[in-house]
Amino acid sequence: MILTKLKTFSALWFLAVLLCATGQSYASESADVDNQFLGGTSSIGNELKTADQIDRASPWAISEFRTYLTDRYGLNLSADYATLYQEASDSQTNVDNGMGGVFRIYGRWSLVGRGTIDTGTLVAKWEHRHRLSGDVTPGRLAPQLGYFGVTGLGFTDAGGFLAPFYWEQFFYDGHVGIVAGRLDSTDFMDILGLGSQWNSFQNAAVLSNLSIPAPDLGFGFGAGIKFSDKWVIGTTIHDANGKQTEIE
């Protein structure tokens, strides 16, 4: 039996995204973003909150530009590029390292009820996953080490694909919400507080409950009710045959 030590080095850079558009001024949509309760740690809405925190701490004017887009056009947009390098001390094959990169652009565009809590919002993300160097991507490294799992979840060579793309609608002062479209099931079911490979862990066994056969990206719909800041109930239905890189 081979005992392997795995070294992991990762980095995440948030980028400013420029968008040219025309329109009239609207009130800030910060109210409806703060009251959002649909989706877990890895959902687009919560990742935008993380981007807001990073922007406010940066010396550049990224935060002001993103705030301008949100206030004037109802568009909360961000992008980032992440890299991950993993190297093993031992391997069952000649492959003992992997490095990959992921570019993501994602956002929320409030098109109905802008400036209020009960908004209708288009939520979308596009990703490109690729190998940077090394023998394989981190997502394919674990089998080379004799480990039946994934040590670098998300860092694969899948290429470009449309990730979540759905409509989100709130009612009754933000206490009832529905979603419909191309959904990521892990954003809505068995949600974990640290379930995001972009700012917590990389191992699939930590990020999700592997005893649940969660489907891949695909069509779905769901609804949720917020009773208080601590109590929410929701349900979603997903296509069990959904595929990450295909839209059917």
Side-chain angles (χ1 to χ4, degrees), residues 115-133:
T116 68
I117 296 179
D118 292 336
T119 56
T121 305
L122 184 65
V123 184
K125 177 167 62 175
W126 184 85
E127 297 187 18
H128 193 283
R129 302 180 179 184
H130 46 273
R131 184 175 70 91
L132 285 176
S133 66

Side-chain angles (χ1 to χ4, degrees), residues 148 185-186 189-190 192 203-215:
F148 188 71
S185 61
T186 60
M189 56 187 293
D190 198 46
L192 303 175
N203 195 313
V206 179
L207 290 171
S208 61
N209 186 345
L210 299 182
S211 67
I212 299 177

